[in-house]
Amino acid sequence: MSDLKICLTFDTDADPLVENHKTSVSFKNLDYSLNKISDKLLKLENKLNIKLPISWFVRVDNQIKDELGSYDWILNNYSKFWENEKSKKNEIHWHSHIYEKINDKWVFPKNKSFYLNEIEKIFNFLKKNHFKPECIRMGEAYMNNDIMSLLKTLGLKADSSCIPGRQRKDREKFFDWSRAKNSPYFPSNYDYQEEDQVKKNFLEIPMNTIQTKCAYDKKPLLRYMNLAFKSNITYNGLEKFIRDNDLLITISHPYEFFDKYENNKILLSNDLNALEENINNIFKFSKQFKKNIKFVTISEIINFYLNEK
């Protein structure tokens, strides 16, 4: 029987807006959802008799500092929750949405140096005041060779911004991971989507994509595996992915599990029970393909690939 490693990750993004999500600086969804998700996971652990470790990617960035007073507002405002998570051996990693305020509106930075400077300043702040970041997830999957080079230079061990097989260049998002592997790899200095066969000291940990199709899709579309998606939409793609792979990294946002928020009603479940349904399907397909499930954290993935003991 082969092993199937599962890594469950959550990003603490701002409350969703119908238009221009970049301007959202309210985090009331965390007040509402964090403990509910934690309680649901505890019930699942007891039901399944297995530990379900969570790797949290917590927003720490310049927009939060500008609007709420400090880079680490989320870390501080929910400090009791994070301490409780760490006591359960869950992990806290760095998530950063780098925007620039131009004419009183939040937009993607026009100047490359602005983006890079902010990343370096926030890294140094976290290192001094909280923890030395080991892994980062860039907001909206944004990446280029300069950013990847900086992350390596700063001393991070991994990035987890990749959405394999996807690219978008529209008014809302701008990213390109169309050529990236759908499994961890060591990104080249010359092309962040290509694997370096020699230098294996910095890891790209993708948010794994599966084939999905919802009512408004003209044809099947690769989407990252989100435990908040309706389980009938993830079912076939999840089955195929588990059949063919030995590691699955999922990604969810807390507000996506609740109908209280302005979510996509067709793709997202808006129901915390979807978390259980999707995890149950992971177990179902693992049994079907005779794979032994092991839930792991981001740090464990890094250590495995970098051969650290």
Side-chain angles (χ1 to χ4, degrees), residues 4-9 51-55 91 247-249 294-301:
L4 172 68
K5 295 185 177 71
I6 309 290
C7 182
L8 308 178
T9 77
K51 182 75 173 72
L52 300 172
I54 303 300
S55 297
E91 294 184 350
L247 171 64
L248 170 64
I249 298 103
K294 181 181 181 182
F295 285 88
V296 298
T297 63
I298 287 291
S299 290
E300 288 175 309
I301 293 173

Side-chain angles (χ1 to χ4, degrees), residues 24-177:
S24 180
V25 290
S26 168
F27 290 88
K28 292 181 180 178
N29 80 87
L30 301 181
D31 294 339
Y32 184 81
S33 65
L34 288 180
N35 286 322
K36 292 180 176 63
I37 291 171
S38 181
D39 291 345
K40 180 68 172 180
L41 287 164
L42 179 60
K43 290 178 182 177
L44 265 178
E45 287 181 333
N46 292 332
K47 184 175 181 180
L48 299 170
N49 194 29
I50 192 170
K51 182 75 173 72
L52 300 172
I54 303 300
S55 297
W56 292 93
F57 282 85
V58 178
R59 272 194 61 178
V60 183
D61 53 54
N62 64 306
Q63 185 184 48
I64 291 175
K65 180 182 180 183
D66 187 272
E67 297 283 351
L68 299 171
S70 63
Y71 289 128
D72 54 356
W73 185 86
I74 295 179
L75 287 172
N76 294 334
N77 198 56
Y78 303 98
S79 58
K80 289 184 180 179
F81 180 82
W82 304 129
E83 288 304 315
N84 187 51
E85 288 299 288
K86 287 188 284 188
S87 74
K88 296 188 291 186
K89 306 301 182 185
N90 292 340
E91 294 184 350
I92 311 297
H93 294 282
W94 178 21
H95 185 37
S96 222
H97 284 247
I98 304 299
Y99 302 134
E100 184 176 9
K101 208 169 193 179
I102 299 176
N103 297 327
D104 212 33
K105 292 183 179 179
W106 288 104
V107 297
F108 266 131
K110 304 296 183 183
N111 191 315
K112 179 175 66 176
S113 63
F114 180 93
Y115 203 109
L116 298 174
N117 289 338
E118 288 301 323
I119 288 293
E120 185 166 3
K121 283 193 290 186
I122 301 163
F123 173 86
N124 289 330
F125 174 87
L126 274 173
K127 184 179 176 181
K128 179 180 179 182
N129 295 281
H130 290 279
F131 56 88
K132 181 180 179 182
E134 185 176 54
C135 182
I136 187 171
R137 179 171 287 162
M138 305 305 303
E140 303 191 48
Y142 189 64
M143 185 56 64
N144 57 43
N145 289 332
D146 292 326
I147 296 171
M148 189 70 81
S149 177
L150 175 62
L151 299 180
K152 295 177 182 180
T153 300
L154 290 174
L156 280 92
K157 296 180 179 179
D159 172 74
S160 185
S161 309
C162 177
I163 308 178
R166 290 295 307 272
Q167 66 174 322
R168 284 183 61 174
K169 296 179 181 179
D170 52 48
R171 295 176 62 183
E172 183 182 357
K173 295 183 185 295
F174 184 88
F175 66 82
D176 185 359
W177 292 99

